[in-house]
Amino acid sequence: MESFYIDPKDIKNGVVEIKGEEFHHLARVSRKRVGELIYLFDGGGKIYTAKIVNITREKAKCEIIAEEFMKGEIDVDIAVAQAILKNPERFEFAIEKLTELGTKYIIPLITERVIPAKSLEDISRNKIERWKKIILSACKQSNRALIPKLCEPVDFKSFVTEFTEYDRKVIFHESDEFKRILLYNYLERMKGVNSILVATGPEGGFTSEEIKLAVNSGFDVISLGERRLRSETASIIGVGVLIQFFIASKRNG
């Protein structure tokens, strides 16, 4: 079933009306009809199974049949600091897939090698709003009830000093200049953690100075193997492995 976003305040006596963009998607794009079942989610963790009972020119009325909380969410909070990429489509692809996988916080990261050179002032509110729409769309695609928080863009030095409240902090890096731990071997350290912060660099990776700063701030340097991966590939593969580990750990007790 397809998912549609609603404000929980719009649910009254087990009935909700879908209007605006969500109605357009439901009626005009997906061409839903009276009697069909759909998912509704509030972005805070609740997902509802609903039946369409009426459709007019401007809205659809749905009856709530069942509700679940945090369906499919893992217990571990995973935050990903993804460096902003030269190609906007690659950055957008990264945040889309990180949302589908189950990341709970996404931090747009400005590093020394972000190309072209950007500052916090260069990132318009329109761009941030576009990223939010991509994240929302990814939640619909994956039937996810929880919308990840898109944090404000941050420069690297502020990032390593401000984002400290995590059980584990890791930074992906491919250079042999630093002692690295293969992600597969690092998973043993993940047992019992409640939160993890992951940092992925831009094209060209992090600088040596940035890695040193991260290590001094409690980050572990992690390798994803012998191949040189694109930034968005590293984020998706790394987070995917971590989430599969947490899922398996919970099922195996």
Side-chain angles (χ1 to χ4, degrees):
M1 290 189 293
E2 289 190 64
S3 292
F4 300 89
Y5 174 69
I6 58 166
D7 188 324
K9 292 183 294 186
D10 291 335
I11 300 176
K12 298 177 181 178
N13 299 319
V15 176
V16 62
E17 291 183 345
I18 301 177
K19 305 175 183 178
E21 289 185 13
E22 291 301 290
F23 171 71
H24 174 79
H25 184 73
L26 181 148
R28 307 287 184 258
V29 179
S30 298
R31 297 184 179 277
K32 296 297 181 183
R33 297 290 181 261
V34 171
E36 290 192 62
L37 296 180
I38 58 174
Y39 283 134
L40 304 174
F41 70 101
D42 65 1
K46 278 190 176 182
I47 188 166
Y48 306 87
T49 301
K51 182 178 180 180
I52 303 172
V53 295
N54 186 40
I55 298 178
T56 67
R57 292 175 60 88
E58 298 180 350
K59 61 186 178 182
K61 183 180 292 186
C62 301
E63 178 184 329
I64 304 297
I65 296 174
E67 69 176 70
E68 297 178 82
F69 184 65
M70 300 298 278
K71 179 181 179 181
E73 296 293 327
I74 61 173
D75 295 333
V76 180
D77 288 344
I78 298 182
V80 179
Q82 169 64 56
I84 297 173
L85 303 176
K86 179 180 180 181
N87 186 332
E89 292 181 1
R90 292 192 180 279
F91 180 79
E92 292 171 358
F93 180 81
I95 63 176
E96 176 185 70
K97 301 310 171 188
L98 290 171
T99 298
E100 292 178 17
L101 285 168
T103 302
K104 294 184 180 177
Y105 302 90
I106 296 175
I107 308 158
L109 187 60
I110 299 173
T111 71
E112 289 188 33
R113 288 177 176 159
V114 165
I115 303 172
K118 291 185 181 292
S119 66
L120 295 178
E121 291 73 22
D122 292 328
I123 302 173
S124 68
R125 297 312 305 179
N126 287 341
K127 183 169 290 187
I128 293 174
E129 290 305 312
R130 173 174 169 79
W131 293 342
K132 289 181 179 179
K133 288 182 179 180
I134 290 170
I135 289 171
L136 177 60
S137 179
C139 287
K140 297 178 187 178
Q141 167 65 34
S142 58
N143 286 336
R144 188 175 181 190
L146 182 68
I147 300 176
K149 178 182 178 181
L150 178 66
C151 301
E152 289 293 315
V154 63
D155 65 79
F156 191 82
K157 289 183 179 179
S158 299
F159 163 68
V160 296
T161 55
E162 292 176 8
F163 291 81
T164 58
E165 300 300 318
Y166 290 88
D167 295 337
R168 292 287 178 185
K169 298 185 292 183
V170 304
I171 187 165
F172 294 142
H173 193 58
E174 74 281 358
S175 173
D176 291 329
E177 179 183 356
F178 297 89
K179 182 179 179 181
R180 299 173 298 157
I181 306 171
L182 190 65
L183 180 58
Y184 177 83
N185 296 328
Y186 190 78
L187 294 177
E188 285 297 314
R189 302 188 188 185
M190 294 290 100
K191 292 181 178 179
V193 306
N194 295 310
S195 60
I196 179 170
L197 176 61
V198 177
T200 308
E203 296 92 342
F206 293 108
T207 64
S208 296
E209 290 72 21
E210 286 171 333
I211 295 295
K212 290 176 183 176
L213 186 60
V215 170
N216 291 337
S217 299
F219 281 77
D220 295 316
V221 184
I222 300 300
S223 168
L224 293 174
E226 298 301 321
R227 299 193 182 279
R228 186 179 182 185
L229 304 177
R230 288 187 182 275
S231 176
E232 68 274 20
T233 305
S235 284
I236 295 165
I237 291 294
V239 171
V241 170
L242 288 170
I243 288 178
Q244 286 296 306
F245 172 79
F246 292 129
I247 292 172
S249 297
K250 183 176 181 179
R251 290 180 178 176
N252 295 334

